[in-house]
Amino acid sequence: MTEREDRAAGTVERLFASLAARRYPIYLGGLGVVVLVRAFAPTWTRTPVFVLALTLMCTTYLAELHGRAETETRTLVVALAVAGVAVGAFVVAEVNPVGGFLFVLGGLFFFRAATRRRT
């Protein structure tokens, strides 16, 4: 790895550790935000807030999985995985639940590709 790749991987590792350490407030807060936005917010704000909350919650879950595994991270592929989850959340909310879940599943597969066993 180059120095730049080492720095990027270190940043991802720190971000994942921070998310995993705060997982319960993130999950409860995300759920609360989704419920409140669906109940009280104007229609035009629902989708962006829903997608943001779901993306943060899914990324936190990926961080938990990563923390349990003995793996190294490939930063670009992790970014694609998070993007897949975000697009999937939007598609679930606004277009088609089945298609959206396929995007989320694709994001999870990208995450799996982004990690490899430490040697």
Side-chain angles (χ1 to χ4, degrees), residues 3-18:
E3 183 180 332
R4 184 176 181 184
E5 289 171 334
D6 283 340
R7 256 194 332 255
T11 301
V12 169
E13 295 289 333
R14 286 189 302 278
L15 174 65
F16 274 8
S18 178

Side-chain angles (χ1 to χ4, degrees), residues 24-86:
Y24 296 121
I26 290 171
Y27 293 147
L28 291 173
L31 182 62
V33 164
V34 167
V35 168
L36 290 173
V37 165
R38 296 294 281 187
F40 301 111
T43 306
W44 64 272
T45 62
R46 291 179 185 169
T47 300
V49 172
F50 176 77
V51 168
L52 237 121
L54 190 57
T55 300
L56 180 61
M57 292 165 65
C58 288
T59 305
T60 301
Y61 180 68
L62 294 178
E64 277 189 85
L65 291 178
H66 179 71
R68 293 181 193 147
E70 293 293 321
T71 58
E72 292 178 0
T73 305
R74 295 183 191 138
T75 309
L76 176 62
V77 186
V78 168
L80 291 173
V82 171
V85 169

